[in-house]
Amino acid sequence: MKDASYTPLASSEIGLLWMTYQEKTMSRQMLRYFAHHATSADEKALLSRVLGEVSGFVDRIRSRFVDEGVAVPVGFGDGDVNVEAPALYTGLFGVSFVRLLAKITSGLSALHLTMAYREDIRSMIQEISALSQRAYGDATGLLLAKGLISRPPIVTSPDEPDFVKDLEYMNGKSIWRKARPLNLVETAHLYQQMETNAFGFELMTGFAQTAAEPDARRYFESGRELARETVDMIQSIFMESDMNPSPAPSARATESTTPAFSDKLMMYCTNILTSFGLGGNALGTTFSLRSDLPLKLIGLMTQVYHFAQAGGKLMIRHGWMEEPPQAENRRELIRA
């Protein structure tokens, strides 16, 4: 029996824990696979450490649900991965996966912290955030040391501050005029989108090669092409400003067609990356002062949104979408 000082979980706290449990159980299974196929000691050490940290949070959240009398989500288990399947990606792809996942979880943790009220939940989210930031730093450092990740374009550093002098600064490219070069805030957001989609292209390639269901295979193929189009579009924007970034992927998909992950897990992973892409595009739109850039990013967001909608429908058709906890349906209760 809980004492009089007990504070039940708020609806937002149940929701954020549910989302975190889904993501962490997916991550744990993918990390098991990548750690199994690690080819170097430093890669193995990083993946194994992150796997242990993720597994610890899975166990803690499950215990929290049990203690609070909340149904434990299904999430993802050992049946969603075949660690003995041949390597689906070459090189340090698993480290790149950790790096991207750390970006996503760092952003989610910042959002979730604003939704948490109980001290123990806030503390757990802060721990997740700290470990995500450490994982991002370690993964980035390892990839840079191996020469397997490119840095954003290098430009001449400004030697003094300046102010915008007229409204032409906000004009974009048109058939009548050239646009000003990208400013470095715009460059930062655009490069992140290009880097993420370069990774997503290889991820979708492996997923498309190994999906069991034909409609899932076609879906991953369309995701692969959307990622390619995004990289090409952003690359052309950079080239117009005489910058030539090349976000070299740390690895490529192999020729394996043996399923390493369940279609359910791959669809959920794609859903997370798609949501991350939508958020990144929204930020890029907000911080872009050249009028043509938001138009291009909004067009891209529309494509990504429709891709996400199609994925949700596919997951529902196959029974792969676990339903989040719901509020009471008072209409049904009254009519019962």
Side-chain angles (χ1 to χ4, degrees):
M1 179 179 294
K2 297 179 174 65
D3 59 40
S5 64
Y6 167 73
T7 302
L9 288 172
S11 56
S12 61
E13 292 165 337
I14 295 175
L16 69 87
L17 287 174
W18 186 90
M19 287 188 289
T20 304
Y21 189 83
Q22 298 288 334
E23 180 266 317
K24 295 302 180 194
T25 54
M26 177 210 74
S27 300
R28 178 167 67 175
Q29 298 309 322
M30 295 188 74
L31 287 167
R32 286 181 58 221
Y33 175 81
F34 288 130
H36 181 79
H37 288 279
T39 56
S40 65
D42 45 9
E43 178 190 10
K44 181 82 170 180
L46 174 60
L47 293 173
S48 298
R49 190 199 81 213
V50 177
L51 172 59
E53 293 168 351
V54 167
S55 297
F57 283 117
V58 169
D59 294 340
R60 287 172 62 182
I61 296 171
R62 182 190 296 114
S63 297
R64 181 68 63 205
F65 279 137
V66 171
D67 292 343
E68 300 289 336
V70 178
V72 178
V74 174
F76 300 91
D78 292 351
D80 289 300
V81 63
N82 175 15
V83 295
E84 300 299 333
L88 187 54
Y89 302 97
T90 64
L92 301 187
F93 193 85
V95 177
S96 289
F97 173 77
V98 167
R99 183 173 182 266
L100 180 59
L101 194 68
K103 285 187 183 183
I104 294 172
T105 53
S106 292
L108 284 175
S109 295
L111 178 62
H112 287 168
L113 192 59
T114 68
M115 302 175 178
Y117 295 81
R118 263 177 41 173
E119 183 178 356
D120 58 331
I121 305 302
R122 297 199 311 271
S123 177
M124 183 187 297
I125 296 169
Q126 289 168 338
E127 287 182 57
I128 292 173
S129 179
L131 290 174
S132 296
Q133 291 173 39
R134 179 187 174 193
Y136 175 81
D138 291 347
T140 301
L142 180 56
L143 291 169
L144 285 170
K146 299 288 186 180
L148 295 173
I149 188 172
S150 301
R151 298 176 65 203
I154 305 299
V155 301
T156 303
S157 299
D159 53 13
E160 60 182 26
D162 200 359
F163 286 83
V164 176
K165 296 176 177 60
D166 55 56
L167 294 178
E168 288 188 7
Y169 186 84
M170 301 182 72
N171 290 337
K173 178 184 176 183
S174 72
I175 58 174
W176 299 285
R177 63 173 179 265
K178 290 185 177 181
R180 62 163 171 78
L182 295 170
N183 67 43
L184 302 191
V185 175
E186 293 161 343
T187 298
H189 287 281
L190 286 171
Y191 188 83
Q192 289 304 307
Q193 287 300 302
M194 187 165 64
E195 184 180 69
T196 298
N197 278 276
F199 173 85
F201 176 82
E202 294 298 338
L203 185 72
M204 292 297 102
T205 300
F207 284 2
Q209 288 177 190
T210 56
E213 295 292 338
D215 52 355
R217 187 177 291 245
R218 289 191 296 271
Y219 182 73
F220 296 132
E221 278 190 281
S222 66
R224 181 174 181 266
E225 291 309 306
L226 180 56
R228 186 207 302 271
E229 291 171 10
T230 301
V231 171
D232 289 345
M233 182 193 77
I234 297 177
Q235 182 95 32
S236 69
I237 294 173
F238 276 114
M239 291 294 288
E240 289 166 2
S241 291
D242 295 315
M243 288 187 275
N244 186 20
S246 54
S250 60
R252 291 178 56 83
T254 67
E255 294 182 346
S256 175
T257 57
T258 303
F261 309 109
S262 69
D263 286 2
K264 173 190 169 186
L265 183 147
M266 292 190 293
M267 286 297 301
Y268 179 76
C269 181
T270 304
N271 177 263
I272 287 181
L273 297 182
T274 303
S275 299
F276 179 66
L278 282 171
N281 283 331
L283 278 175
T285 300
T286 302
F287 290 104
S288 295
L289 295 177
R290 235 177 66 178
S291 60
D292 60 324
L293 298 180
L295 292 176
K296 290 180 179 180
L297 291 173
I298 288 170
L300 178 59
M301 286 172 66
T302 301
Q303 290 181 273
V304 174
Y305 173 78
H306 288 309
F307 177 71
Q309 287 288 97
K313 292 176 182 177
L314 192 155
M315 292 174 73
I316 290 172
R317 283 199 302 271
H318 285 281
W320 296 333
M321 183 179 286
E322 188 171 354
E323 185 176 333
Q326 300 289 308
E328 303 89 340
N329 189 324
R330 296 298 179 184
R331 289 186 180 181
E332 288 189 3
L333 291 172
I334 291 171
R335 292 173 182 171

